Amino acid sequence: MNTAQGARARARIEVTAAIKDEARRQLAAEGAAKLSLRAVARELGMVSSALYRYFPSRDELLTALIIDAYDSLGESAERAHEAAAGLEPLDRWVAVCEAVRGWSLDHPHEYALIYGSPVPGYTAPQTTVPPAARVGLLLIGVVRDAHHAPGGLRTLPALPEGLRPEAERIAADLAPDLPPAAVTALVAAWSQLYGLVGFELFGQFNRVVEARAPFFRHAARQLGWGVGLR
């Protein structure tokens, strides 16, 4: 790459970052449903046609913001998991859950973008799936390590007959080396984790739970217990 090409590439990176930053400010002020490419261009002093060279549509800008949010959340959870290496599986599980909570409290508008109300008229493409899976894969990995360690997982209650075919399908898709009962419990725990975070972030715990951090830590341990961690 020659000097001119390098300068153009750096300029494109800087302008793309500026567009995303302004879009995040709009998310905080107006919400994702009101995100406007024209408004972003106006705030940056750009003509709309110039901004379209970076993001041809609102949906493409939303997708970029969603991927960035999932990746940022995933990186935070992965750092916490790495820092907890060598601890018991249940402690590693709690560390990942607490990282999810910590990131969400620090990035409430980005959390709302990925786990809040759907944006009218927007359908997330497949490119958002791998970033969205990062936290879930960490939790599956913790349970997998416990399953293959001496002592294994706790024995979980038997699945109802009506649920067993679906549990086996989910297990085959997500973690075929784990018992279907554990994978079903994992999916439930994953949804409950984000329910706990959302209740705190969006005010449902107001005047109900005051000691939020110890309450969350206890709840996260209960979720880990529920998937079979000892």
Side-chain angles (χ1 to χ4, degrees):
M1 182 181 295
N2 61 36
T3 302
Q5 290 173 324
R8 285 195 295 271
R10 288 193 298 273
R12 185 172 186 84
I13 290 170
E14 291 171 1
V15 174
T16 300
I19 291 169
K20 289 180 179 179
D21 286 345
E22 176 55 37
R24 292 187 188 99
R25 283 191 285 272
Q26 288 196 20
L27 290 180
E30 303 288 345
K34 294 185 178 180
L35 180 64
S36 162
L37 289 183
R38 290 183 179 276
V40 171
R42 182 173 60 250
E43 290 299 320
L44 293 176
M46 300 172 65
V47 296
S48 298
S49 58
L51 189 146
Y52 291 139
R53 290 200 292 270
Y54 295 86
F55 295 100
S57 68
R58 180 209 68 162
D59 284 5
E60 291 202 26
L61 177 54
L62 269 177
T63 295
L65 296 176
I66 288 168
I67 289 173
D68 283 355
Y70 277 131
D71 278 335
S72 178
L73 171 59
E75 288 164 9
S76 180
E78 287 160 5
R79 285 194 300 270
H81 182 260
E82 184 177 353
L87 299 181
E88 293 295 325
L90 183 56
D91 294 320
R92 287 161 50 207
W93 171 280
V94 172
V96 171
C97 292
E98 290 191 311
V100 170
R101 174 180 180 264
W103 180 90
S104 302
L105 294 178
D106 289 341
H107 303 84
H109 304 294
E110 290 168 82
Y111 179 91
L113 175 64
I114 55 179
Y115 288 114
S117 299
V119 180
Y122 173 79
T123 300
Q126 282 295 112
T127 53
T128 62
V129 173
R134 290 173 71 165
V135 172
L137 290 174
L138 278 180
L139 296 176
I140 289 172
V142 171
V143 175
R144 177 177 289 119
D145 289 347
H147 177 58
H148 293 297
L153 296 170
R154 287 190 312 104
T155 300
L156 296 173
L159 291 167
E161 283 305 313
L163 178 59
R164 178 164 292 281
E166 177 67 359
E168 291 174 349
R169 183 196 64 78
I170 294 172
D173 286 345
L174 299 180
D177 58 325
L178 293 178
V183 179
T184 305
L186 259 167
V187 173
W190 172 72
S191 65
Q192 291 170 69
L193 166 61
Y194 289 106
L196 284 165
V197 171
F199 261 49
E200 179 173 1
L201 201 60
F202 301 138
Q204 281 89 347
F205 280 156
N206 291 349
R207 296 185 298 278
V208 178
V209 178
E210 298 299 332
R212 306 281 173 79
F215 175 85
F216 181 88
R217 188 173 304 114
H218 173 73
R221 290 185 71 85
Q222 292 297 108
L223 293 179
W225 177 258
V227 303
L229 300 178
R230 296 182 183 275

